[in-house]
Amino acid sequence: MRIFLAGFGVVGQSFAAQVDKRTQELVRRFGLRPRIVAVSDRGGVAADPKGLQVKRLLEVKAAKGSVAADRSFGKPGVSAAEALEESDAEVLVEVTPTDIKTGQPGLNHIMTALKNRKHVITANKGPLALALPALLELAQYNHVILRFSGTVGGGTPILDFAKKCLLNDRIVAVRGILNGTTNYILSRMTWEGVDFSTALKAAQKAGYAEADPSMDVDGYDSATKLVIIANWVMDMKVTLRDVSVTGIRNIDLREVKNAYDKGQEMKLIASIDSKLTVEPKPVARTDPLCVSGVLNAVTFKPQHGAEQTLVGPGAGGIETANAILRDLIEIKQALYPTFEV
Amino acid sequence: MRIFLAGFGVVGQSFAAQVDKRTQELVRRFGLRPRIVAVSDRGGVAADPKGLQVKRLLEVKAAKGSVAADRSFGKPGVSAAEALEESDAEVLVEVTPTDIKTGQPGLNHIMTALKNRKHVITANKGPLALALPALLELAQYNHVILRFSGTVGGGTPILDFAKKCLLNDRIVAVRGILNGTTNYILSRMTWEGVDFSTALKAAQKAGYAEADPSMDVDGYDSATKLVIIANWVMDMKVTLRDVSVTGIRNIDLREVKNAYDKGQEMKLIASIDSKLTVEPKPVARTDPLCVSGVLNAVTFKPQHGAEQTLVGPGAGGIETANAILRDLIEIKQALYPTFEV
């Protein structure tokens, strides 16, 4: 399978390293031989139709800051979109940084790939939050597959679970903790009695929160994930504008303590029923959803069966790379199904 | 899809009722038109190659105690195995009562079906606990599919989750609460400070424990489920004899209280690493595995990714029937794969 890798930051490098390390196993277990034929970053593109050496890509990136600096295969200044038009890659793996205002440059990459009949796997939430209904239609129109397991839950296969394991049922409601950073902050407020800004500083120090924490603490990261779940799992045609979003910045320590005294914990809950909402809410401590620290948890309510809760770690470079690999195997299996007894 | 339904108790009747109620939806969503061509119970068999009417089966069963009493289609005294040999059913749904000593009559039904090249879906743990490695081989040899989602977790797709959602990884360890009855008893001991026999009586009164509770409280129900997980998810070739089993009958209330004072709860934990074990153990209250009441929970530890925990209700007539339907859809899709974008 020939891969175009757009974005070569933490996730992109981790994905390339895993593909390299696990090639033999992937061939043996799944008949999948991934070959990275092009990589793009801010400096340009490196491309070789025969397949690039991952070790060399990582070295050039570390030494020169861009894969485009490779002497033999580098094309400085060439954009990913240009290179995509010409590439014979079958799959685009899109892992450029998330921008929820414009969706760029990911949105452009994804649309170019789909129009050129390339399958797309992305871990970039921006384009999906803004245009997922349109992108799914574009993929269908061009008879290619669009997958994005890494965008929700990272290491925890939340989307796959709902789609594959509850397949004879219909999800009618979802409630979840979809952001590890805010859950870490709220856990510290609950267990240590510290206020929001102290807990936020601790999260930043531990590497769980960014210097600008607004995507997380204002609820937009949770909201983008909720949009993706709504479209993919519940066939709703919604974007970020359809979500009512309240973050945790204004939570008073007294609210947190009051909840605790009633056997509850304050959590940033993302939910879908008749509408899409992200807001802080008390959750009973005996509820399986009530997980601590940077864990994510989602409860699905099916029409026929009983509620199911899935708990696991949120995003992380390796986890997200793993999710992309899962999508790649799934595309391979959808294209060339094998009968397994 | 022509179905032979062996066993017409709570699960069998619930399955038949669901198939009947949801036929139109199954045709539309999955191209699956299930037709029950034979049903067996202790009194004999009812069979009609054109398909039996579920409403009529339920009425005859309620009025006369056996489907074999049906005037037109009943065959009193005919055994399920005999009828299976002659039936043109494509799939056997085996839901006779569990016997973990002999596996019968389910073991005989399943082997007869596999040898006659019929796919098999079973919710009967007995045959699987005693002979799962052999049955999987027999299915493979005859090029048919053997599925048993309803045996572990009932309403919670534990087997599917591990197999489908973690497919690019390898599960290296499992830890779980696989029995709702014992978890209910331990939860009451923990929260209300009552001793084992009082909690057991409460469980019996609430309908969660049988009059003879030994399968549950002595750990054998958990052990059979562990055997199924080990074979299916981890490719181990093991049976019930390979599990070291300790139940909860001898748990002292002081142990439960001591654990609680340390921020833990006593749980009946079934685990697989280098060996298979069922035994009571303290679990940290912050561990996602630490669920209350009749819930089940399983934590999978993959080789590459991070730990995942799945939480949901254990067995129940409707949940198990739902799991059988899930397996039926999966068999349909494995036999006639469709390309889905």
Side-chain angles (χ1 to χ4, degrees), chain B residues 177-241:
Chain B
I177 294 172
L178 300 177
N179 180 272
T181 306
T182 47
N183 205 47
Y184 180 86
I185 291 171
L186 290 170
S187 292
R188 290 198 73 135
M189 290 175 75
T190 301
W191 296 103
E192 293 165 29
V194 300
D195 65 7
F196 171 76
S197 62
T198 308
L200 171 59
K201 270 177 212 136
Q204 285 168 324
K205 206 173 161 192
Y208 294 137
E210 315 260 332
D212 174 2
S214 52
M215 265 295 279
D216 293 323
V217 302
D218 293 330
Y220 289 103
D221 178 71
S222 296
T224 58
K225 291 167 179 168
L226 201 62
V227 165
I228 294 167
I229 292 175
N231 278 280
W232 185 240
V233 175
M234 298 172 74
D235 286 328
M236 296 170 90
K237 310 276 181 236
V238 290
T239 68
L240 198 50
R241 275 181 295 186

Side-chain angles (χ1 to χ4, degrees), chain B residues 97-146:
Chain B
T98 292
D99 179 330
I100 63 162
K101 296 216 176 73
T102 66
Q104 298 301 357
L107 187 54
N108 189 17
H109 297 165
I110 293 172
M111 293 185 68
T112 303
L114 294 177
K115 283 178 190 159
N116 284 278
R117 305 217 161 189
K118 298 180 194 309
H119 307 288
V120 173
I121 301 169
T122 183
N124 183 345
K125 291 184 285 285
L128 305 187
L130 299 174
L132 187 46
L135 293 175
L136 285 170
E137 262 192 51
L138 188 59
Q140 191 152 24
Y141 178 81
N142 287 289
H143 298 284
V144 286
I145 301 176
L146 171 62

Side-chain angles (χ1 to χ4, degrees), chain A residues 22 29-30 155-157 161 164-165 167-169 304-311 313 322 325-326 329 334-335 339, chain B residues 22 29-30 155-157 161 164-165 167-169 304-311 313 322 325-326 329 334 339:
Chain A
R22 296 178 57 189
R29 287 181 66 193
F30 306 105
T156 307
F161 175 72
K164 290 185 194 166
C165 295
L167 66 73
N168 74 335
D169 217 320
H304 300 285
E307 285 191 354
Q308 315 283 332
T309 303
L310 183 58
V311 182
N322 229 328
L325 207 48
R326 230 164 47 223
I329 293 169
L335 297 177
F339 176 79
Chain B
R22 295 179 56 189
R29 286 182 65 192
F30 306 105
T156 308
F161 174 71
K164 289 186 194 166
C165 296
L167 66 75
N168 74 334
D169 216 319
H304 300 284
E307 286 191 353
Q308 314 284 332
T309 303
L310 183 58
V311 181
N322 229 327
L325 208 47
R326 229 162 49 220
I329 293 169
F339 176 79

Side-chain angles (χ1 to χ4, degrees), chain A residues 247-296:
Chain A
I248 65 165
R249 228 183 254 274
N250 299 318
I251 285 194
D252 196 289
L253 188 54
R254 271 170 305 180
E255 284 180 82
V256 173
K257 283 183 175 161
N258 279 344
Y260 187 78
D261 290 340
K262 289 184 205 155
Q264 301 173 322
E265 292 185 26
M266 282 302 283
K267 298 290 180 190
L268 183 61
I269 298 296
S271 62
I272 311 174
D273 37 47
S274 55
K275 56 193 194 310
L276 288 80
T277 314
V278 173
E279 62 180 341
K281 270 187 189 172
V283 173
R285 212 172 302 135
T286 50
D287 190 320
L289 200 60
C290 195
V291 296
S292 303
V294 292
L295 287 175
N296 283 196

